[in-house]
Amino acid sequence: MAAHDLSSPLLASTTPPPPPHLVLTVDGGDDETNHHITPRSNSTTHHRNPFEFVGSDASFSAPPPCTIDPFRNGTPRIDGLYEVLKILLLLPIVVIRLVLFGLCLGVGYIATKLAILGWKDKHNPMPRWRSRLMWVTRFTARGILFSFGYQWIRRKGKPAPRGIAPIVVSNHVSYIDPIFYFYEMCPTIVASESHDALPFVGTIIRAMQVIYVDRFSQPSRKNAVNEIKRKGCCDRFPRVLLFPEGTTSNGRSLLSFQLGAFIPNYAIQPVVVRYPHVHFDQSWGNISLAMLMFRMFSQFHNFLEVEYLPIVSPLDNSKENPAHFAKRTSNAMASTLNVVQTCHSYGDVMLFMRAAESGQEKPSNFMVEMAKVESLFHIRSLEAMDFLEKFLSMNPDSSGRVRVHDFLRVLKLRPCILSEEVFAFLDVEKSGSITFKQFLYGSLHVMKQPQFRSTCELAFSECDILEEHEISQHEFGDVIRLGIPDLDDAEVHELFKLFDVEGKGRVSKDNFTSCLRKNPLLIALFSACLAHRDAVDDDDDNSMVEEIV
């Protein structure tokens, strides 16, 4: 030890060997269309970047899989002798609680219907006498909480006066959260338009003068922000409550915040909710609503803790950037909860649910931290869903990875040098298989290159030899064979069908570009023809110079 100082490593460093590269061994039989593909490791093989011609550089890499699943419920099933015996013991209590729940829901619904009966001017604050009727519904909300096993609720801190902090934001763990907040402060909430159609719930949230928003519509989100501003600046409206995560989590992490609560630049009071538990996780994650309600009814007591945090005010004379404002607020909430912050969002819930519907064993492997993807590539969650559908058609294995032969099958590519390079571009781990995250990041990386759009237009122009603003299968095949020379007519036809979405036998420029946006990796098929075009242009320029000289 005396020979080493404190800065010396304990273990001698060695230079790691270069990562193995993917090599496709293609065994062709008598039938040229029957190929067997065997990935093997070869540390000396180096693959060209097939997308360099659209501006992609060699520095592309996909982030490693996230080890956090913020939506996983810790107790999705009834496990253990203790839980079984407890449920059997409490079955009579479950029946009583269920009756109390139905009674409170019915009384609250009737009181709410009376409060909004004949109310036409819903653009302005609710008249006082109608608001007093809503107190009946608020008390029934406490009865509903009691029926679910929340006999007492621990609070820390107090709600700030509405005139000081007109907006309240909270983390979102369970459907219990909005019931508690309705009882506690009867706020105006921001909710999805789909909630309006829910029995009983739709009527109650309409009486709360809910601000509806369609998360997939830019005009709807803009209108929601305007409504938050309007109701936030008027003391006659209740305070506005938002769950900026946009969906529920398991409470062991804090999801990425949407910015709607922070754009108005009003003072905000953050509130955090916790559901301490030992045997039953009350979070609404990968568990059905019916099972979650039954488990709540069959507990001796369910714990809920609510903590009101100090007010967070905008900096720079109410002109703070909304993203920075949201970050300061989320940092305060995460610090209080002592949890990590992730870049997951509702888009990851959509990916998770679709993967689960398709029968994937580990649907959480298909989450990509959608908030980060949206920030990097400026795409919507619905576009990511389209890429997921494509990836699922590649038949992922039990770990959510796709092998090269299924990748080529879906993209209608035959084994060749070019297709090997395309797959190797995505296979950043050089493992012979790719994840959905690698497929999505690689596809979006190519599509968002500055030259991608102009390259699509040039590729169409090269195919449109007769300048008819449409291309035929024959024209398409002539261009494709410059990159893959031994393609037969059947293989050209399969590729052409990806572009010929209307089945007319001819492809317009719009359909051609649309197909490449949905399958950006296919732009590599046109690299050879565009390189040939550039070479011809260079020869013409050289000939012109020689003639001038």
Side-chain angles (χ1 to χ4, degrees), residues 181-189 208-209 238-241:
Y181 285 120
F182 173 68
Y183 162 70
E184 183 84 346
M185 57 184 69
C186 194
T188 291
I189 65 172
M208 297 167 65
Q209 296 187 277
R239 70 192 78 205
V240 182
L241 168 68

Side-chain angles (χ1 to χ4, degrees), residues 163-420:
I164 298 176
I167 296 178
V168 175
V169 298
S170 170
N171 62 319
H172 200 5
V173 179
S174 174
Y175 65 86
I176 295 296
D177 308 341
I179 299 176
F180 168 79
Y181 285 120
F182 173 68
Y183 162 70
E184 183 84 346
M185 57 184 69
C186 194
T188 291
I189 65 172
V190 179
S192 170
E193 292 178 346
S194 60
H195 292 166
D196 185 69
L198 295 176
F200 301 104
V201 175
T203 300
I204 294 174
I205 63 176
R206 282 195 296 273
M208 297 167 65
Q209 296 187 277
V210 61
I211 300 173
Y212 289 118
V213 60
D214 178 0
R215 69 177 85 231
F216 303 116
S217 169
Q218 180 64 30
S220 176
R221 295 199 301 269
K222 184 176 180 180
N223 178 70
V225 170
N226 291 333
E227 280 295 289
I228 293 171
K229 289 180 179 179
R230 185 177 73 87
K231 293 183 177 181
C233 69
C234 178
D235 288 340
R236 294 174 57 206
F237 281 106
R239 70 192 78 205
V240 182
L241 168 68
L242 296 98
F243 298 102
E245 293 172 290
T247 187
T248 55
S249 72
N250 56 21
R252 293 185 286 277
S253 59
L254 199 63
L255 309 184
S256 175
F257 276 14
Q258 303 296 312
L259 301 182
F262 308 94
I263 294 176
N265 262 296
Y266 296 153
I268 287 176
Q269 182 171 33
V271 187
V272 297
V273 294
R274 304 181 186 88
Y275 292 84
H277 67 277
V278 176
H279 302 286
F280 168 51
D281 184 354
Q282 302 152 63
S283 65
W284 193 5
N286 55 333
I287 182 173
S288 68
L289 177 60
M291 174 59 75
L292 190 61
M293 292 178 66
F294 174 73
R295 295 291 303 278
M296 285 185 176
F297 283 136
S298 58
Q299 303 296 312
F300 290 112
H301 174 73
N302 290 309
F303 292 90
L304 169 60
E305 298 177 355
V306 181
E307 182 173 353
Y308 295 90
L309 275 59
I311 295 172
V312 181
S313 299
L315 305 175
D316 302 327
N317 297 321
S318 299
K319 293 182 181 180
E320 184 178 10
N321 180 277
H324 186 260
F325 191 10
K327 187 63 177 176
R328 289 197 299 119
T329 306
S330 65
N331 287 343
M333 295 172 67
S335 177
T336 302
L337 289 167
N338 194 27
V339 299
V340 299
Q341 300 181 63
T342 77
C343 291
H344 291 86
S345 69
Y346 181 73
D348 290 286
V349 177
M350 296 170 58
L351 297 173
F352 178 95
M353 293 176 63
R354 180 65 190 95
E357 289 173 3
S358 69
Q360 297 300 314
E361 293 184 22
K362 299 178 180 178
S364 60
N365 288 345
F366 295 83
M367 296 190 296
V368 296
E369 294 189 276
M370 198 62 215
K372 183 185 295 183
V373 174
E374 292 174 351
S375 175
L376 288 174
F377 300 108
H378 308 289
I379 71 158
R380 299 173 300 168
S381 299
L382 293 177
E383 294 178 86
M385 288 290 289
D386 292 337
F387 283 102
L388 178 61
E389 292 294 340
K390 179 74 67 175
F391 189 81
L392 291 175
S393 67
M394 297 177 185
N395 192 27
D397 60 21
S398 59
S399 63
R401 304 183 75 94
V402 163
R403 300 288 175 178
V404 61
H405 57 277
D406 287 315
F407 174 80
L408 299 183
R409 171 181 55 81
V410 171
L411 292 185
K412 311 300 182 184
L413 298 175
R414 71 179 304 170
C416 63
I417 294 176
L418 180 62
S419 59
E420 174 187 337

Side-chain angles (χ1 to χ4, degrees), residues 57-70:
D57 55 32
S59 63
F60 165 73
S61 63
C66 182
T67 58
I68 298 173
D69 181 358

